[in-house]
Amino acid sequence: MLKRLFLTLILSSVIWFSSCAQKSQSTADQIEKSTEQQTAVVEQVQQQKNELEKLQEENQQLQAQLQKLQEEKEELEKQKAQLAEIQKYQNVKAENLQSAQCEINPELGVPLNPPQAKPGECFAIGYLPSQYKYEKVKVLIDAGGEKVVTTPPKYKVVPKKVLVKEESKKIVVIPPVYKTVTEKVLVRPATTKKVVVKPAKYKWVTEKVLVEPAKKVWKRGRSFLTHAVATRFDPNTGDILCLVEVPPKYKYIKKKVMVEPPVVKEVPVPPVYKTITKKVLVKPAQTKEVVIPAVYKTVYVKELVEPAKVQKIKIPPKYDYVTKRVKVKDEQFLWVKVLCKDNMTTDTIVKLQKALKSKGYYRGPIDGIYGPLTQEAVVNFQKDNNIPITPGAVTLRTLQLLGIN
């Protein structure tokens, strides 16, 4: 009975001293937390200062990017106007190539027949695109205004001695004493396992597998008429299309098939034991009281020297000169003399291709064929030399400038 009472008193003392130690630890944690918060404030102010400098650098970069974007915008406007002119020319080219017998639209401002036409002369309607010039105009880029500059506050760091942990007492636990003993334990009980006495038997068999079913395919040429199921005429190429039956496709594969299953029997498996080592208590744990002296710490506290300042700075407006595209002359349609089809011989086209190639307009073969590459080279030459553009025809002025008689 006395022994139990003595143990109860010891345990209550341990609980009381543990409570005191926890309170002291809580006070020390609060002081340390306050110190960390002050340090965090210092770091936050420094971080704000760095961010302010970074924002100023980014502002300068954005101003440079704005200037670059303005120049790119002007270049895109020029390209857009050029593309609109090319599209207009292509539309006129498509209308002229629709039919050789089409009527001329009176809205174009040209007569229905070429004026002062003589026998043996050939004419075509040429297109002169609009002419432009570029002028420099002063435009407002930035309206200006006010910029707010914030000067961060100034601090100084001073040392301060603070109590981190008050004097306290703690209960030191003397660990218990153990000894090591060995013991045999069952790891796996007795079981049975299946053993294959006679393995299974297999054989290889060949099987026919469909790869592609029979189908019907349209083929071009008269050679398929004898096997055709149906025929039709292609108006674009003038060929005869035949619907031909294509037989199915097969392939042979080999696969393994079980002929006789395996023979299996059960065999007993004895149990498995293991010798383990474990600790046995020899002497229980004990406690003793120890005095812990107070702990102080020198911390550095940040004190305000000069508060933050806000200053407004006036920013003047910014102007720049941009190049503006102004129309000088409207587009024009007119009758022009062209080389007649009878004179468009292979020799003449070869001379034309060589002359265009020497001036860097033609990059195709010298074949004497007035194809798309040659037509494109002629149109580009006419545009660069302010000659009326005649898709599908060559003006006499074009031949004259190229030195072709």
Side-chain angles (χ1 to χ4, degrees):
M1 189 68 178
L2 290 174
K3 187 177 180 180
R4 185 179 298 173
L5 180 61
F6 177 71
L7 290 174
T8 304
L9 289 173
I10 290 175
L11 289 174
S12 63
S13 299
V14 170
I15 294 171
W16 180 79
F17 283 117
S18 298
S19 176
C20 291
Q22 290 176 357
K23 290 181 179 178
S24 300
Q25 184 64 33
S26 176
T27 303
D29 293 340
Q30 291 178 357
I31 294 172
E32 186 173 358
K33 185 176 181 180
S34 175
T35 304
E36 291 176 355
Q37 289 178 352
Q38 293 176 354
T39 305
V41 170
V42 175
E43 294 176 353
Q44 186 176 3
V45 171
Q46 184 64 30
Q47 185 178 1
Q48 290 178 355
K49 182 179 179 181
N50 295 336
E51 289 178 354
L52 181 62
E53 294 176 353
K54 187 176 180 181
L55 287 174
Q56 292 176 352
E57 293 177 359
E58 290 178 353
N59 186 23
Q60 295 177 357
Q61 294 177 0
L62 288 174
Q63 291 292 337
Q65 291 179 1
L66 179 64
Q67 180 68 22
K68 187 176 181 181
L69 288 174
Q70 185 68 25
E71 295 174 358
E72 292 178 354
K73 181 181 177 182
E74 295 172 1
E75 185 65 24
L76 287 174
E77 288 177 354
K78 293 180 185 178
Q79 294 179 1
K80 184 178 179 182
Q82 293 176 358
L83 288 174
E85 183 179 339
I86 294 172
Q87 183 65 36
K88 196 167 186 179
Y89 156 71
Q90 289 179 349
N91 293 337
V92 173
K93 178 180 178 181
E95 291 174 2
N96 291 337
L97 291 177
Q98 277 184 352
S99 172
Q101 305 296 332
C102 65
E103 295 182 357
I104 304 302
N105 189 352
E107 296 179 359
L108 299 179
V110 293
L112 294 177
N113 296 315
Q116 299 179 357
K118 297 179 181 179
E121 293 180 340
C122 297
F123 291 84
I125 292 181
Y127 166 68
L128 282 174
S130 303
Q131 296 181 6
Y132 297 87
K133 70 176 182 179
Y134 295 93
E135 297 178 349
K136 285 191 175 182
V137 181
K138 187 178 181 180
V139 295
L140 179 66
I141 296 177
D142 190 355
E146 289 185 348
K147 179 173 70 172
V148 178
V149 179
T150 303
T151 304
K154 294 181 180 180
Y155 297 88
K156 69 175 181 178
V157 181
V158 296
K160 185 178 180 181
K161 189 176 182 182
V162 295
L163 178 65
V164 177
K165 189 176 182 182
E166 295 179 353
E167 182 180 313
S168 62
K169 296 180 180 180
K170 73 174 181 178
I171 304 298
V172 178
V173 179
I174 301 174
V177 180
Y178 297 90
K179 72 176 181 178
T180 304
V181 296
T182 57
E183 183 179 349
K184 187 177 181 182
V185 294
L186 179 64
V187 177
R188 185 181 64 194
T191 56
T192 59
K193 68 176 181 179
K194 293 182 179 181
V195 179
V196 178
V197 179
K198 184 179 180 182
K201 291 184 179 180
Y202 297 88
K203 72 175 183 178
W204 291 93
V205 296
T206 303
E207 184 177 349
K208 187 178 181 181
V209 179
L210 178 64
V211 176
E212 184 179 346
K215 60 182 180 180
K216 294 180 180 180
V217 179
W218 286 100
K219 293 191 176 182
R220 192 182 304 274
R222 297 178 177 272
S223 60
F224 299 98
L225 287 174
T226 56
H227 305 289
V229 178
T231 59
R232 64 186 177 91
F233 178 72
D234 189 351
N236 296 325
T237 61
D239 296 336
I240 295 178
L241 301 176
C242 301
L243 185 63
V244 182
E245 290 187 352
V246 179
K249 294 182 180 180
Y250 296 91
K251 73 175 182 178
Y252 291 91
I253 61 172
K254 287 186 177 183
K255 66 179 182 178
K256 200 174 183 181
V257 180
M258 182 184 291
V259 179
E260 184 179 339
V263 178
V264 181
K265 74 174 183 177
E266 291 190 354
V267 178
V269 179
V272 178
Y273 294 90
K274 181 180 180 182
T275 301
I276 63 172
T277 303
K278 66 179 183 178
K279 290 183 178 181
V280 180
L281 180 63
V282 176
K283 186 178 179 181
Q286 297 178 355
T287 59
K288 68 177 181 178
E289 185 177 331
V290 178
V291 178
I292 301 174
V295 178
Y296 293 90
K297 181 180 180 181
T298 301
V299 296
Y300 291 90
V301 182
K302 200 172 186 183
E303 292 184 355
L304 181 64
V305 177
E306 183 179 345
K309 295 180 181 179
V310 179
Q311 183 182 5
K312 292 184 179 180
I313 300 175
K314 289 186 177 181
I315 301 174
K318 292 183 180 180
Y319 297 89
D320 195 5
Y321 288 91
V322 297
T323 303
K324 185 177 179 181
R325 194 165 179 257
V326 181
K327 183 185 287 187
V328 178
K329 187 177 181 182
D330 293 332
E331 62 181 6
Q332 185 181 1
F333 295 90
L334 67 161
W335 287 101
V336 291
K337 292 183 180 181
V338 298
L339 187 65
C340 297
K341 289 186 177 180
D342 295 339
N343 296 328
M344 288 285 286
T345 61
T346 303
D347 183 52
T348 303
I349 297 173
V350 167
K351 292 179 180 179
L352 177 64
Q353 289 175 338
K354 288 182 178 180
L356 290 171
K357 193 163 190 176
S358 65
K359 294 183 178 295
Y361 288 93
Y362 182 65
R363 294 181 175 83
I366 308 299
D367 51 8
I369 300 174
Y370 194 70
L373 293 177
T374 309
Q375 293 183 30
E376 182 181 0
V378 170
V379 170
N380 292 333
F381 179 78
Q382 291 173 339
K383 287 176 64 177
D384 292 345
N385 291 273
N386 198 24
I387 303 173
I389 299 171
T390 54
V394 183
T395 63
L396 299 183
R397 178 60 178 165
T398 302
L399 296 175
Q400 181 181 1
L401 292 179
L402 290 173
I404 302 174
N405 296 325

